Amino acid sequence: MNPKTYLIQQLNNSIAELGLPGRDPQVSPTRDPQFGDLSTNLPLTLAKQLRRKPLEIAAEIKASLTNNLDDSIIASVTITAPGFINFNISNDYYRSIIPLIIGSDSDFGCSSTGSGKTANVEFVSANPTGPLTVGHGRQAVLGDTVANILEWHGYDVTREYYFNDAGRQMRLLGQSVSARYFQEIGQDIELPEDGYQGQYIRDIAKAIRIELGDELKADNPVFRKSAEDQIFADIKNSLAKLGINHKVFTNEKDFYESGAIKQTVADLRAKNLVYETDGATWFKTTALGKEQDRVLIKSSGEPTYRLPDIDYHRDKLKRNFDLIIDLFGADHMDSYPDVIAALKALD
């Protein structure tokens, strides 16, 4: 029996046994796990009518329950102020569920909730500047699990990977490989400030030297292109080892080349949500209830993450998925509310 259903039944029995006024006991998960798995506020709901202290009523109900509860379902009962009764579910109960899952012909928990519906789950989305980290691996497993759950409930799921192979970080990647290449051929060249320093950069530089020799110029595009290709191959290989395969890879650069990002800026400007100051282009988020405006395009001409992310999500919405889920890293904590604000402003 489900522990929640079981507890409601036992609480009703205790009410009858103690001669307390009839109530429909509510049992729900506790807000804080330190207080147990499930909790009821029944003593609080009875206190006014009985003109008694909730903790006294809780103690009385607990005493009644303790004599009757099946310890293979409920391991312990505790009381917390101002009058909650808390319950810990027995480990034996959890173990008893395992045979049920194993013997369910592999469809335990399956439903048709999403039948005929589409879902997009975007996850990992690491730029090709280095191998996947443990953090990326966590996001990969989490994202794929979310996609699996949706498929288990009937959704047609698109697993998507969004990346940027342009901009400052990619330039630094190419410059870092270039510097390591010239160090390989004996030249005293320093890495660029904030350059990439992992062993993988040296390995890429060595591979370029073996293939193309010692006569390359520092600005040769092969440094960045080879790095991107090798790193992305490594990323896909890591994901494949986890059994994760993305259906769609979307490149941020495509939105620039198509003119879509310029159109997004124009559409925001038409709503009086974009302005220029100090050489930068700003998103007027204060007009949308935010505390301060945000930079969309720096004075250097480079966009912040917000701008292409806004356009990318416009594109996803135009693809008419019934459900769109993003799994963000902590580095998006500051920017994603602005993306949502822009999408709402653009209807």
Side-chain angles (χ1 to χ4, degrees):
M1 181 184 292
N2 179 291
K4 182 176 177 180
T5 303
Y6 173 73
L7 283 171
I8 290 173
Q9 182 184 89
Q10 293 302 313
L11 286 166
N12 278 321
N13 290 342
S14 291
I15 288 172
E17 178 184 299
L18 296 168
L20 299 174
R23 280 286 189 277
D24 180 20
Q26 301 297 307
V27 176
S28 58
T30 57
R31 293 184 179 180
D32 189 334
Q34 71 172 315
F35 297 127
D37 301 305
L38 297 169
S39 180
T40 182
N41 66 345
L42 178 61
L44 293 167
T45 66
L46 293 170
K48 185 175 181 181
Q49 184 175 354
L50 295 175
R51 296 183 179 180
R52 294 175 58 193
K53 295 178 180 179
L55 287 173
E56 291 180 357
I57 301 171
E60 197 170 284
I61 294 173
K62 177 187 174 184
S64 171
L65 286 171
T66 302
N67 296 327
N68 299 304
L69 287 180
D70 183 345
D71 59 11
S72 69
I73 300 176
I74 302 300
S76 63
V77 183
T78 59
I79 296 172
T80 53
F84 291 98
I85 306 175
N86 311 306
F87 307 93
N88 282 292
I89 298 173
S90 168
N91 288 336
D92 288 340
Y93 172 79
Y94 290 119
R95 282 191 284 267
S96 74
I97 299 297
I98 295 172
L100 176 64
I101 296 171
I102 294 173
S104 63
D105 296 324
S106 300
D107 62 354
F108 185 84
C110 181
S111 80
S112 59
T113 303
S115 181
K117 297 179 181 179
T118 59
N120 178 288
V121 182
E122 182 228 322
F123 59 108
V124 184
S125 295
N127 291 336
T129 55
L132 293 183
T133 66
V134 171
H136 293 137
R138 177 186 181 278
Q139 295 294 82
V141 172
L142 183 57
D144 200 53
T145 300
V146 169
N148 288 340
I149 290 170
L150 291 172
E151 288 176 334
W152 198 238
H153 292 283
Y155 282 90
D156 178 10
V157 178
T158 296
R159 290 166 171 80
E160 185 157 346
Y161 189 121
Y162 173 58
F163 69 98
N164 176 21
D165 64 356
R168 178 175 179 270
Q169 295 304 317
M170 294 302 293
R171 284 200 305 275
L172 276 174
L173 176 68
Q175 292 166 3
S176 300
V177 174
S178 175
R180 292 303 191 197
Y181 167 86
F182 285 104
Q183 289 174 6
E184 280 291 315
I185 62 176
Q187 295 189 25
D188 186 18
I189 303 292
E190 291 186 2
L191 280 173
E193 186 176 358
D194 298 326
Y196 294 92
Q197 301 185 37
Q199 178 61 39
Y200 70 98
I201 299 294
R202 294 182 184 274
D203 294 340
I204 293 169
K206 288 178 182 178
I208 292 172
R209 184 187 182 193
I210 291 170
E211 181 181 356
L212 300 176
D214 296 354
E215 304 301 324
L216 297 178
K217 302 295 184 183
D219 59 354
N220 194 307
V222 73
F223 294 117
R224 191 170 87 174
K225 185 66 171 65
S226 292
E228 178 188 338
D229 291 347
Q230 291 186 49
I231 291 169
F232 230 131
D234 181 71
I235 287 172
K236 290 181 178 180
N237 183 55
S238 295
L239 292 172
K241 288 180 178 179
L242 289 169
I244 295 172
N245 295 289
H246 289 82
K247 182 178 180 181
V248 174
F249 286 82
T250 301
N251 189 342
E252 177 182 311
K253 186 168 63 176
D254 292 339
F255 298 112
Y256 289 98
E257 294 177 347
S258 69
I261 285 182
K262 285 185 177 180
Q263 186 61 52
T264 290
V265 175
D267 291 343
L268 288 170
R269 192 185 302 278
K271 292 179 177 289
N272 196 32
L273 293 172
V274 166
Y275 65 93
E276 278 77 25
T277 189
D278 299 327
T281 300
W282 291 72
F283 180 21
K284 195 175 180 181
T285 44
T286 50
L288 302 174
K290 304 294 182 180
E291 291 185 3
Q292 61 186 54
D293 294 342
R294 300 291 193 175
V295 175
L296 286 180
I297 304 173
K298 303 173 187 176
S299 57
S300 64
E302 289 185 320
T304 63
Y305 289 126
R306 289 171 177 79
L307 179 53
D309 282 0
I310 292 167
D311 198 70
Y312 167 55
H313 284 84
R314 288 188 88 182
D315 175 77
K316 279 205 284 194
L317 288 165
K318 288 174 185 175
R319 288 186 260 158
N320 293 318
F321 293 103
D322 293 295
L323 180 65
I324 294 174
I325 296 176
D326 294 342
L327 279 94
F328 290 136
D331 54 334
H332 286 78
M333 192 177 298
D334 183 54
S335 62
Y336 87 84
D338 301 327
V339 174
I340 293 174
L343 293 172
K344 288 181 179 178
L346 294 166
D347 303 318

